[in-house]
DNA sequence: GTCTATAAAGCGATAGAC
DNA sequence: GTCTATCGCTTTATAGAC
């Protein structure tokens, strides 16, 4: 992939985080990326195509830093609480006031909201959701190895949906970040206890 | 309020549910309401004024049917499971594929998404969130009268945030409605069990 | 691949008749 | 109160040069 293309996608994430998907103007994007409008239409069919690619880009970037965070876990030591801590870390990663995280979360929220009215975006969205839920379900499975698979899947879907709800509230300024993080941590505890009861 | 005015507001809710707040075109709204564009500008200052009024209209309508549903509860009989059933009913009310509900949920999601970029909308949003959480916390308190107040508040906040997350997924077509309803019911069970353990 | 210039369409808003 | 007709700005998208 060319540098320009990537630069445009990065700029798109930035502009979307600033103005929203519906507020994104190709002209502003061109200025942000430091290219001409025409080049954007050269690299991406049209506005919707650009949005689709941006969604994929944002997803990849999120996966990347999730993986990095996971790699930065415990080295050789084998603490028994490690799986639970890793799970918490993964879920709380999206509830941080860092530029990258905020940008990704905002763009993700916007693209999800846009998908309500633009079915073209749904494929990408559904895929990312499934992958994300699968990952959380796996980590739950490491915390509670004897819990049935179906219960893990359901718990993971609840936790990821809750994360999106909390994130939306945080980003729209109606819930302080610390509250969102607390609610998320509590929910993990509640779900893990629930899974324990099923054993 | 004139019939025409109300008809325009109803049509606006319909069009917003179909195209989103930023996708609402005055021309399409006029067609939907069966009036001319000019009449819309006669009744509402401009596009923004129209949106503000529409959101107020949608809020009122939601309060109305929530109240109706509450009134349609058990009459004189006093079943012990009634509070739990009322709680479930209240939360699952927003996860139904009825035109009114879909319109209201969509408009609400749009409003919340818009608030990320428009701080002016946050006051109304925060107020509605608090009222809604308070209501759920009260109903949880009826199910588990001995649970501490702080735990009820936290549970209610988790449940309402989850509802918003599930609703967003349902409306954006990445989660079937029946799954969303199942996850919501499970979450209520999990939270109630959690509150029971605190006693 | 990248640009400048421009076409084409979309869309909010108003004027003026009835 | 309600309509038809239209203005004028904004924004997407393309043509064509380099």
């Amino acid at each position: 992939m060319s540098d320009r293309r990537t630069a445009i996608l990065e700029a798109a994430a930035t502009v979307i985080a600033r103005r929203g998907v519906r507020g994104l103007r190709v002209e502003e994007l061109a200025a942000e990326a430091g290219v001409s409008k025409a080049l954007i239409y050269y690299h991406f069919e049209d506005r919707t195509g650009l949005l689709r690619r941006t969604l994929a880009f944002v997803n990849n970037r999120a996966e990347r830093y999730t993986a990095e965070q996971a790699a930065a876990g415990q080295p050789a030591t084998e603490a028994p609480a490690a799986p639970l801590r890793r799970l918490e870390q993964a879920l709380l990663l999206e509830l941080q006031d860092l530029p990258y995280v905020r940008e990704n979360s905002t763009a993700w929220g916007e693209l999800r909201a846009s998908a309500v009215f633009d079915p073209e975006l749904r494929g990408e969205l559904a895929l990312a959701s499934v992958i994300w839920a699968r990952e959380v379900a796996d980590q739950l499975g490491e915390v509670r190895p004897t819990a049935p698979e179906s219960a893990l899947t359901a718990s993971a879907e609840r936790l990821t949906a809750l994360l999106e709800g909390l994130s939306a509230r945080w980003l729209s300024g109606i819930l302080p970040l610390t509250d969102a993080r607390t609610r998320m941590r509590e929910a993990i505890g509640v779900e893990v206890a629930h899974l324990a009861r099923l054993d």
Side-chain angles (χ1 to χ4, degrees), chain A residues 68-144:
Chain A
E68 275 166 30
Q69 193 72 16
Q74 278 66 22
T77 357
E78 238 169 290
L84 180 57
R85 231 181 10 257
R86 281 227 317 286
L87 173 63
E88 280 191 344
Q89 234 175 18
L91 286 166
L92 291 172
L93 197 61
E94 307 296 322
L95 294 173
Q96 280 184 287
D97 201 357
L98 301 174
Y100 250 43
V101 171
R102 201 177 239 277
E103 200 173 282
N104 265 341
S105 290
T106 306
W108 172 258
E110 273 294 293
L111 290 163
R112 176 158 36 75
S114 299
V116 176
F117 311 103
D118 187 351
E120 267 189 72
L121 295 173
R122 293 183 184 179
E124 200 75 48
L125 202 65
L127 187 66
S129 279
V130 166
I131 290 173
W132 180 221
R134 181 73 262 142
E135 220 172 286
V136 172
D138 287 346
Q139 293 200 3
L140 277 169
E142 283 177 40
V143 178
R144 290 277 168 243

